[in-house]
Amino acid sequence: MVQKYQSPVRIYKYPFELVMAAYERRFPTCPQIPVFLGSEVLHESRSADGAVHVVERSCRLRVEAPRLLRKIAGVEHVVFVQRNVLNWRERTLLIEAHNETFASRVVVKENCSYSVHPENEDWTCFEQSASLDVRSFFGFENALEKIAMKQYTANIKRGKEVIEHYLSELLSQGISHMPRWTPSPACKEGARSLTEPGAHGAPDAMGHSSNPGPVPEAILGPDDKLDAEYIERCLGHLTPLQESCLVQLRLWLQETHKGKIPKDEHILRFLRARDFHLDKARAMLCQSLSWRRQHQVDLLLQTWRPPALLEEFYAGGWHYQDTDGRPLYILRLGHMDTKGLMKAVGEEALLQHVLSVNEEGQKRCEGNTKQFGRPISSWTCLVDLEGLNMRHLWRPGVKALLRMIEVVEDNYPETLGRLLIVRAPRVFPVLWTLVSPFINENTRQKFLIYSGSNYQGPGGLVDYLDRDVIPDFLGGDCVCNVPDGGLVPKSLYLTEEEQEHADQLRQWRETYQAASVFRGAPHEVAVEILEAESVITWDFDILRGDVVFSLYHTKQAPGPGPLEPTDRDRVPGASCSLVESPLVCREGESIQGSHVTRWPGVYLLQWRMRGPDSVACSLQGSEDVLPALHSPGPRCKLLYYYEVLASEDFRGSMSSLESCTSGFSQLSATTSSTSSGQSHSSSLVSR
């Protein structure tokens, strides 16, 4: 398995030329990096004008490994070949290297780059990346991999300290400025090869050569590749490997994710939840981002308004912060009629409210980070269980609680810093037995449970909350504005019909996906078909605006971005072809259809915003629509569902929609501005 390291952007607040002067002082020896045993220049050259200086050298490094491993390998040092390219005109230094020793068994590559900060020409950026691939090593592959990565990351900080040491040395000698390069007649003698030791090529963070690896990408600003100082100040202390995981995952999202990139604090929570296992964290985060997009969670704080009944009877609310600066949420669960709330507002409304609390918690963490000047990424919850009884163990209520726990665990990992449970009654162990298996082990370790009144003395709340924020109902002096809860009157319960509709709404939300369509930015879904004669079925409702729906076939998955208009007229069998005539779909309509595939490959379901003069629905008609689709304008909204069936399984299945009315159109009627939703059924078969 290839191990990779990617550093954040480290910034020296000194000009590039001064940093290069410090860099040169690392030669011919560097006492700060004792594993570097020496080097030999293999080749050195300069450009005709002297602007570019290239040095290639062989570097010897002492092997820091257990004696047994060194004895088996039969070496006490390893050799790396490095190549430095210093460009004075562009003010960059690119360093790349690879190992020569055991090159057939172990492949080590590293790159480093120094460049001018994109926003401040008097600062210098440093970036570093490396990869380690242990292909075979006498049966010690795993051991060598761990030793090498541990040694590498341990020396990363040392490499930065070396530059800072020589910068301080220059400043102490009164050298605080170095002139920038300008062409000199003496430098225009043409390229020449030199054999004397050069000034560029030093051992660096790995402790070995002056930084090995492939040629790096162009340096981006700290907003694109995280700045190490920003990480320390806003995210907290991370080990080099943890920094690397954060940078790699963020870069991966920038390259592959369509839509808004989550904040670094958000990405970091998923890495922590998976112990910085990059692949596991990536999978968890991608699933959560899909969930957020489907349920439009990013807009929840702007769109969710709790019913008045919830505001009156939901006994929870925010209350200052704990001693660590974490936002404090108080939940008087024992005073809350969970059964009554379920029957009065429904499970979906309760879940939405819980999600809004978690969204607000993240927002408050950001605010407290700025207020207290240190990273605060989680919040504290104080749960008062006085009054908890068997009514709270109502089976549908417990089932809903478990669902909420699952949703929060999957999508808000590492947001809970501490859970303080006070006045736990005798019935609490029964509830704990039911819910604890569904709570992540890392989260359970943050629970502190107090029974009776033992929360009042030493080791109790005073260890985590200042006395002036402990609520009055727990013996403190602070008036708490959290609602008292109480029994919900049965007269406020939903009728059976309303409850059934709420259940349908929840099922639809779990089945259908939400999408937004902007002018010039259609929504596309790629469906891979492995065998011909499959059936693609779809069902979607237009909640806002008018769209044009089309179906395309392509032999391979398309690249990022929507299909271009020039791709629309290609004939079947070409790289991309239109296989269903575009269908104009108006606001409030519910559309169902199916398509029998003729070829394997990738089929694209596409929704484009309808232009003001567009008309249905032929290949020629779609050409007239195209110019209007790329003008700026508002967005359309839709909910959709699709499925792929084998042709023999299609007839008689739930997806074989032959009626002119979709039951799902009821949702359209309640969520769109139109009072009635017309329906169309288009059982379309390829020609």
Side-chain angles (χ1 to χ4, degrees):
M1 178 179 177
V2 179
Q3 294 286 334
K4 294 184 179 181
Y5 171 80
Q6 174 67 58
S7 76
V9 177
R10 304 188 184 277
I11 298 174
Y12 299 100
K13 296 182 180 180
Y14 299 96
F16 176 80
E17 288 73 20
L18 191 64
V19 173
M20 290 299 98
Y23 184 84
E24 292 174 7
R25 293 202 171 199
R26 302 166 63 172
F27 297 93
T29 60
C30 187
Q32 289 83 3
I33 306 180
V35 297
F36 181 71
L37 301 178
S39 63
E40 178 184 353
V41 174
L42 302 178
H43 176 76
E44 185 170 2
S45 64
R46 297 180 188 272
S47 62
D49 60 0
V52 180
H53 183 196
V54 180
V55 179
E56 187 173 329
R57 64 178 70 238
S58 173
C59 302
R60 292 181 296 114
L61 306 171
R62 186 173 68 248
V63 176
E64 289 191 342
R67 183 174 179 274
L68 175 62
L69 197 57
R70 296 202 307 269
K71 187 173 181 180
I72 292 174
V75 297
E76 291 294 329
H77 70 268
V78 294
V79 176
F80 277 76
V81 174
Q82 89 173 35
R83 185 172 184 268
N84 291 4
V85 180
L86 175 61
N87 189 322
W88 290 110
R89 180 187 295 107
E90 302 294 334
R91 302 177 77 196
T92 60
L93 171 62
L94 305 182
I95 313 165
E96 58 179 39
H98 63 274
N99 63 305
E100 276 200 339
T101 307
F102 298 120
S104 62
R105 296 178 176 271
V106 180
V107 178
V108 179
K109 294 182 179 180
E110 184 188 31
N111 74 36
C112 295
S113 63
Y114 291 86
S115 63
V116 178
H117 192 284
E119 298 176 1
N120 190 330
E121 63 177 12
D122 290 328
W123 290 359
T124 303
C125 292
F126 170 74
E127 189 176 2
Q128 182 175 15
S129 64
S131 65
L132 169 68
D133 184 9
V134 184
R135 297 174 178 174
S136 65
F137 202 77
F138 314 107
F140 288 89
E141 291 81 11
N142 290 337
L144 180 63
E145 187 177 274
K146 292 178 181 178
I147 291 170
M149 289 307 294
K150 183 178 180 180
Q151 178 182 332
Y152 181 79
T153 56
N155 283 285
I156 286 171
K157 184 178 179 181
R158 189 183 305 171
K160 185 172 185 285
E161 291 172 346
V162 168
I163 293 293
E164 291 172 342
H165 168 79
Y166 287 118
L167 282 168
S168 298
E169 190 176 87
L170 285 168
L171 294 174
S172 67
Q173 296 171 2
I175 303 174
S176 59
H177 174 75
M178 300 290 290
R180 294 191 184 180
W181 177 86
T182 55
S184 169
C187 296
K188 298 180 179 180
E189 302 174 2
R192 52 194 171 91
S193 298
L194 305 175
T195 55
E196 68 272 18
H200 302 286
D204 200 14
M206 197 166 179
H208 57 258
S209 69
S210 141
N211 313 324
V215 176
E217 303 171 346
I219 283 289
L220 302 176
D223 289 340
D224 301 294
K225 294 185 179 181
L226 301 181
D227 169 13
E229 184 177 334
Y230 153 78
I231 290 177
E232 186 76 24
R233 184 180 69 253
C234 299
L235 303 179
H237 175 72
L238 299 175
T239 68
L241 278 180
Q242 291 171 344
E243 287 182 344
S244 173
C245 289
L246 176 59
V247 175
Q248 287 185 66
L249 185 49
R250 191 174 194 269
L251 288 175
W252 182 84
L253 286 170
Q254 289 175 329
E255 294 170 359
T256 62
H257 179 61
K258 293 182 179 179
K260 186 172 66 174
I261 303 297
K263 295 180 178 179
D264 301 320
E265 303 95 305
H266 194 75
I267 299 174
L268 190 56
R269 289 185 180 110
F270 285 83
L271 286 165
R272 284 174 171 148
R274 291 295 177 262
D275 296 323
F276 287 87
H277 190 292
L278 191 58
D279 292 337
K280 293 180 180 179
R282 181 191 294 125
M284 184 184 185
L285 177 58
C286 287
Q287 189 171 4
S288 178
L289 291 176
S290 176
W291 171 83
R292 293 183 70 89
R293 185 168 56 250
Q294 177 180 345
H295 298 282
Q296 301 188 36
V297 180
D298 287 341
L299 302 175
L300 188 60
L301 291 181
Q302 290 78 42
T303 59
W304 169 250
R305 294 294 178 267
L309 190 148
L310 260 184
E311 292 183 330
E312 180 179 355
F313 291 98
Y314 190 90
W318 295 99
H319 181 81
Y320 301 102
Q321 53 268 329
D322 68 6
T323 53
D324 295 320
R326 295 189 183 104
L328 175 63
Y329 189 84
I330 293 180
L331 181 64
R332 304 189 70 179
L333 185 59
H335 284 223
M336 195 159 63
D337 182 8
T338 53
K339 181 178 181 179
L341 286 174
M342 280 274 293
K343 286 184 171 290
V345 301
E347 179 182 337
E348 192 65 23
L350 277 175
L351 175 60
Q352 290 290 99
H353 192 61
V354 170
L355 296 182
S356 72
V357 170
N358 280 272
E359 290 292 306
E360 177 68 21
Q362 293 184 128
K363 184 178 177 181
R364 286 175 177 261
C365 286
E366 294 174 16
N368 284 20
T369 295
K370 296 177 182 177
Q371 178 182 346
F372 296 109
R374 62 178 184 273
I376 296 173
S377 60
S378 60
W379 45 283
T380 292
C381 185
L382 172 61
V383 181
D384 179 20
L385 294 184
E386 183 190 49
L388 189 76
N389 54 46
M390 294 303 294
R391 180 182 176 85
H392 293 87
L393 302 183
W394 178 56
R395 185 177 297 275
V398 172
K399 183 179 178 182
L401 175 62
L402 295 178
R403 177 187 172 216
M404 293 174 193
I405 290 174
E406 182 180 14
V407 171
V408 171
E409 287 277 295
D410 289 345
N411 299 287
Y412 300 93
E414 297 298 316
T415 53
L416 181 66
R418 184 179 295 122
L419 182 67
L420 304 169
I421 299 176
V422 298
R423 302 201 283 194
R426 291 184 178 181
V427 73
F428 173 72
V430 180
L431 179 62
W432 180 250
T433 301
L434 292 173
V435 303
S436 60
F438 296 88
I439 301 174
N440 182 273
E441 176 62 29
N442 290 340
T443 304
R444 290 204 301 267
Q445 293 177 0
K446 301 171 184 176
F447 285 35
L448 295 170
I449 303 171
Y450 302 93
S451 60
S453 61
N454 66 351
Y455 64 89
Q456 295 177 337
L461 295 183
V462 293
D463 287 355
Y464 309 103
L465 305 178
D466 291 332
R467 291 185 182 276
D468 58 356
V469 303
I470 295 178
D472 49 4
F473 61 82
L474 292 178
D477 298 326
C478 187
V479 176
C480 183
N481 294 322
V482 172
D484 293 331
L487 292 177
V488 179
K490 292 185 178 180
S491 60
L492 299 179
Y493 287 6
L494 297 174
T495 64
E496 289 187 9
E497 182 179 349
E498 290 172 331
Q499 186 63 52
E500 182 179 355
H501 180 72
D503 291 341
Q504 284 182 341
L505 179 63
R506 178 174 62 82
Q507 293 171 2
W508 283 331
R509 286 183 181 274
E510 293 175 350
T511 302
Y512 286 75
Q513 298 189 56
S516 295
V517 182
F518 299 87
R519 291 201 188 281
H523 182 74
E524 294 176 346
V525 176
V527 182
E528 186 175 9
I529 300 297
L530 301 178
E531 298 179 2
E533 300 297 321
S534 296
V535 180
I536 305 172
T537 69
W538 54 83
D539 181 8
F540 60 89
D541 274 50
I542 310 302
L543 305 183
R544 179 194 299 170
D546 297 345
V547 301
V548 178
F549 173 71
S550 305
L551 183 67
Y552 294 90
H553 170 263
T554 178
K555 291 182 179 180
Q556 58 185 6
L563 292 177
E564 293 300 321
T566 53
D567 293 329
R568 291 169 169 263
D569 300 334
R570 299 183 183 179
V571 297
S575 61
C576 180
S577 58
L578 183 70
V579 294
E580 289 292 353
S581 297
L583 179 68
V584 174
C585 312
R586 293 177 174 82
E587 183 173 315
E589 291 182 343
S590 181
I591 310 296
Q592 306 84 40
S594 59
H595 176 87
V596 180
T597 64
R598 294 178 60 184
W599 315 283
V602 175
Y603 287 78
L604 285 171
L605 288 76
Q606 184 191 82
W607 292 267
R608 283 182 178 266
M609 182 178 284
R610 183 192 180 207
D613 301 323
S614 63
V615 294
C617 244
S618 66
L619 188 60
Q620 291 75 21
S622 67
E623 294 173 356
D624 300 330
V625 177
L626 294 178
L629 294 179
H630 292 274
S631 60
R635 65 176 177 173
C636 297
K637 292 177 65 176
L638 61 98
L639 290 169
Y640 67 90
Y641 169 79
Y642 72 92
E643 189 175 6
V644 178
L645 298 169
S647 57
E648 61 269 18
D649 298 331
F650 175 62
R651 187 170 297 278
S653 72
M654 290 297 292
S655 296
S656 181
L657 302 172
E658 301 294 340
S659 67
C660 291
T661 302
S662 166
F664 186 55
S665 63
Q666 298 173 42
L667 180 60
S668 248
T670 60
T671 53
S672 69
S673 59
T674 53
S675 58
S676 63
Q678 295 178 336
S679 297
H680 291 277
S681 177
S682 54
S683 296
L684 306 175
V685 181
S686 63
R687 294 163 287 282

